[in-house]
Amino acid sequence: MSEDFVVRLAAGAENIGFTLYCLCLALFAAVEAWHPAFAEPRRRHERWPVNVAIGLANIGLVIVTPITSVIAARWAERHGVGLLNYLQSPLWLALVVTVLARSLLGYAVHVLMHKIPLLWRIHRVHHSDTHLDTSTSLRNHPLEFGVTLASSTAVTLALGLNPWALIVFELVDGMANVAAHANLRLPEKIDRVLRVLFVTPNMHSLHHSAWQPETDSNYGQVFSFWYRLFGTYSSAPRNGYDALKIGLKEIDFEHATDVVWQMKSPALAIGSTGEMPAPDKAPERR
């Protein structure tokens, strides 16, 4: 199989993946509009332009960025770089390790985004949305894209992850991210079965709670077993789903729907009113 053919095949797979991702967004947006889990006003006309603008900024970065984890994996495979390539691991082992390692990395980076103050300043843009729906999955500061890309590329090169498994996993991860943020609530019987292995909208809605102990749990990725393994699992909101408050207490709706303010917010020490606090008042949330 020629190198040019492999490159064209990979590019085609990524284009198909992007198309499937967009269709997934449209599907869940339609379903949540028909039967939303949270009944309070969604104010889409004010929230969605901000979320979509941030999402488009990240898509633009993906287009112009000269390297991705998949490109890094293909390079490592050709040059024998990384643990799996060095050991010439069988395909089945490379596939299993790639999926588990990439999933664990996503979980670990997400936890660090909450625990390290500098990273939290970047990640809180995602949590400052005052309602939860499919558009929230688009709302990640471009700096967060940079952190994710750097960490995933480093781990890919170090372990020699399989490029084809990465393509599939990142497609599934993207669509699972949309589903997890959808304004839906699965029936309890279905949710109880799925959450044994996978992240569900019920589980991830709790992660967007305005109450910090709930925010610092159920770090969303494809697989939910990392929650239990590392002790960050919460089964349900303390006061029930109907009383769940979404967003951050320190950022009001006006600032949450100001795209310029959101883009510059990682540079701000934000107090309870969403403004720069006095040095001796309103300490940061983290």
Side-chain angles (χ1 to χ4, degrees), residues 6-23:
V6 171
V7 171
R8 289 198 301 271
L9 187 61
E14 290 173 349
N15 290 335
I16 292 172
F18 181 72
T19 301
L20 290 174
Y21 173 76
C22 292
L23 290 174

Side-chain angles (χ1 to χ4, degrees), residues 16 19 25 60 75 78 115 143 167 195 199 212 247 276 279:
I16 292 172
T19 301
L25 272 172
W75 180 89
R78 289 198 305 271
K115 301 303 182 183
L143 289 175
I167 290 175
R195 70 168 52 201
V199 177
Q212 186 174 342
M276 293 284 288

Side-chain angles (χ1 to χ4, degrees), residues 8-249:
R8 289 198 301 271
L9 187 61
E14 290 173 349
N15 290 335
I16 292 172
F18 181 72
T19 301
L20 290 174
Y21 173 76
C22 292
L23 290 174
C24 182
L25 272 172
L27 173 63
F28 279 101
V31 173
E32 69 184 9
W34 170 61
H35 191 63
F38 297 101
E40 71 269 16
R42 286 159 281 178
R43 303 175 77 170
R44 286 185 173 184
H45 66 288
E46 295 174 274
R47 292 177 44 256
W48 276 42
V50 177
N51 294 349
V52 171
I54 295 174
L56 289 175
N58 283 294
I59 291 173
L61 287 176
V62 171
I63 293 172
V64 302
T65 300
I67 188 170
T68 67
S69 59
V70 174
I71 292 173
R74 291 204 299 265
W75 180 89
E77 185 179 55
R78 289 198 305 271
H79 294 84
V81 173
L83 182 62
L84 292 174
N85 294 320
Y86 176 77
L87 297 176
Q88 296 183 336
S89 301
L91 180 60
W92 70 266
L93 180 60
L95 296 178
V96 171
V97 171
T98 295
V99 170
L100 290 179
R102 183 63 182 81
S103 174
L104 178 58
L105 173 67
Y107 171 85
V109 170
H110 197 165
V111 172
L112 293 176
M113 285 281 180
H114 281 250
K115 301 303 182 183
I116 298 176
L118 179 60
L119 295 182
W120 171 248
R121 287 186 175 212
I122 298 170
H123 185 58
R124 70 186 172 197
V125 169
H126 178 65
H127 281 268
S128 64
D129 200 358
T130 57
H131 191 76
L132 195 62
D133 59 28
T134 54
S135 73
T136 310
S137 66
L138 299 171
R139 186 188 179 104
N140 294 285
H141 196 282
L143 289 175
E144 184 166 342
F145 167 78
V147 172
T148 302
L149 176 61
S151 59
S152 63
T153 301
V155 169
T156 296
L157 292 174
L159 295 181
L161 300 182
N162 182 276
W164 300 105
L166 275 180
I167 290 175
V168 174
F169 178 82
E170 292 187 1
L171 170 60
V172 172
D173 184 52
M175 294 194 295
N177 188 45
V178 173
H181 289 93
N183 184 16
L184 302 174
R185 195 169 307 146
L186 297 176
E188 184 177 348
K189 290 182 179 179
I190 297 175
D191 180 73
R192 187 164 54 244
V193 173
L194 290 177
R195 70 168 52 201
V196 173
L197 289 178
F198 303 108
V199 177
T200 68
N202 303 37
M203 297 173 71
H204 195 68
S205 64
L206 189 149
H207 178 70
H208 281 262
S209 167
W211 187 49
Q212 186 174 342
E214 292 178 342
T215 313
D216 292 338
S217 67
N218 294 7
Y219 298 95
Q221 291 298 321
V222 176
F223 301 117
S224 64
F225 50 73
W226 300 122
Y227 304 170
R228 297 176 179 85
L229 183 61
F230 294 105
T232 60
Y233 173 69
S234 292
S235 59
R238 57 174 178 166
N239 295 320
Y241 286 102
D242 291 336
L244 186 61
K245 174 69 174 177
I246 300 296
L248 298 176
K249 295 177 181 178

